[in-house]
Amino acid sequence: TSTSAGVASGIYVVDTEPNVATALASPYTDGLLVRAGWEAIEPTEGAVNVKSICDKVTQAHKLNKGASLVFYPLPPKWLLAKVPTSEQWSLPLGKATTTINPWNTTLLDAMSKTATAIGNSACEGVPLRSHPALKQVDTTIAGALSVRDKPASATQAQMSSAVMSSVKIWRSAFYTENDTKAYYMSIFPYRDKAVDAAAIAKEVLSAYPYQHFMTENFGVAGVGDTSILKLAKYKIFQACGYFGNSKIKCSDTGRTDNTPQNAFDKILKPLGGTMSLQLYADDIVNPAYVKD
């Protein structure tokens, strides 16, 4: 449960389930994964309200636990209305979701203002960026949930510029003097291979050597291509689904060998450098997994 500068630690419980409070209080849990949607935080341009974020950070703080902040950058309606449809694209999220090209300057300017406002907003009497419980910040990519998400027509230069712009926005909005927060981003190879994601990852690490990379699907089915993950010294994993039940459909669902211990042996131990895990509450409180 100890941390050194820039290094995340422990198990973080995902914030959206009935068992969150019980799981957060567990001795196995070091923090709470706080997820904030742009539409909910800023339904009207300039009207940023971080109460929902602060309430969760405070919940973790009262238990002497940490918080990890993820901002979902799918643009609110007021922002979509500002951008021509030629600069919009459809992100596959189970259903088609309209978003904006990650390099679009209107989008980046808006996200920069929003991120800065969130970081400067008071929570328990201090700016959120300085809150002692805030241990991790996702350097969210504008208009996308991961490096792998991009318009089909995107070029290498466009995506390189877009990713670096977003990383800089979040680091700038939350950086404090003598900062010890861990900054991370969701990273996968591109599906269509038209852009080299590894080259972008190297650019990020060149600028920020302690930037963490995060990937989903922590389970026995594996995390796919780990070549990009290996570029980073530190890694964060999020369970795509549950070990103990099938509420969320992922590639591991229904496998009898999909246990936390087996996932550790197959994924975390071989890769090394894993600094934290984001798990669902049901698995943390599942008596069958206490030993694991």
Side-chain angles (χ1 to χ4, degrees):
T1 59
S2 62
T3 61
S4 57
V7 179
S9 179
I11 293 175
Y12 283 71
V13 59
V14 180
D15 67 355
T16 54
E17 302 171 68
N19 285 328
V20 165
T22 302
L24 183 60
S26 165
Y28 309 119
T29 306
D30 282 342
L32 178 65
L33 177 64
V34 180
R35 299 191 286 195
W38 199 340
E39 185 82 60
I41 299 300
E42 191 179 11
T44 304
E45 183 176 5
V48 175
N49 186 338
V50 302
K51 183 180 183 303
S52 60
I53 298 174
C54 182
D55 285 350
K56 293 177 182 178
V57 172
T58 301
Q59 179 186 8
H61 191 212
K62 287 180 178 178
L63 292 172
N64 197 30
K65 303 294 176 80
S68 180
L69 176 62
V70 176
F71 181 81
Y72 283 148
L74 300 178
K77 294 181 182 65
W78 60 262
L79 182 52
L80 279 172
K82 287 187 164 197
V83 177
T85 55
S86 60
E87 282 290 299
Q88 299 179 15
W89 62 292
S90 182
L91 179 64
L93 291 174
K95 62 178 181 178
T97 303
T98 302
T99 185
I100 300 171
N101 291 340
W103 56 84
N104 179 272
T105 55
T106 300
L107 169 64
L108 290 169
D109 288 346
M111 191 173 77
S112 179
K113 291 176 183 176
T114 303
T116 301
I118 294 172
N120 287 336
S121 294
C123 182
E124 293 194 292
V126 297
L128 189 61
R129 58 185 165 81
S130 303
H131 196 287
L134 187 61
K135 306 296 185 184
Q136 302 180 175
V137 176
D138 185 357
T139 54
T140 307
I141 301 162
L145 299 183
S146 167
V147 169
R148 71 177 174 184
D149 300 322
K150 69 176 183 64
S153 61
T155 66
Q156 185 77 37
Q158 286 172 327
M159 289 310 300
S160 292
S161 172
V163 172
M164 286 303 299
S165 294
S166 289
V167 171
K168 289 175 182 176
I169 283 171
W170 289 100
R171 294 189 72 109
S172 175
F174 281 86
Y175 183 82
T176 58
E177 189 175 359
N178 300 318
D179 202 9
T180 60
K181 290 189 291 295
Y183 293 92
Y184 69 101
M185 63 189 295
S186 181
I187 186 156
F188 298 80
Y190 289 113
R191 296 183 180 95
D192 60 16
K193 308 298 182 184
V195 171
D196 184 355
I200 295 175
K202 289 176 182 176
E203 289 181 26
V204 173
L205 292 177
S206 177
Y208 305 108
Y210 288 94
Q211 181 85 20
H212 296 57
F213 290 164
M214 186 273 276
T215 187
E216 291 181 318
N217 202 20
F218 167 55
V220 297
V223 294
D225 184 349
T226 60
S227 58
I228 297 181
L229 281 175
K230 289 176 181 177
L231 295 174
K233 185 176 182 180
Y234 302 116
K235 305 156 191 75
I236 293 173
F237 285 87
Q238 180 177 359
C240 181
Y242 298 82
F243 288 100
N245 62 48
S246 57
K247 288 181 182 177
I248 296 180
K249 302 296 182 184
C250 290
S251 57
D252 294 330
T253 299
R255 291 181 59 144
T256 57
D257 61 342
N258 190 38
T259 66
Q261 181 64 56
N262 285 345
F264 174 84
D265 291 341
K266 182 174 180 180
I267 306 299
L268 301 192
K269 192 173 180 181
L271 273 177
T274 301
M275 291 293 104
S276 71
L277 301 173
Q278 300 170 358
L279 299 180
Y280 290 97
D282 280 5
D283 285 332
I284 294 172
V285 302
N286 187 339
Y289 299 141
V290 171
K291 175 179 177 294
D292 291 359

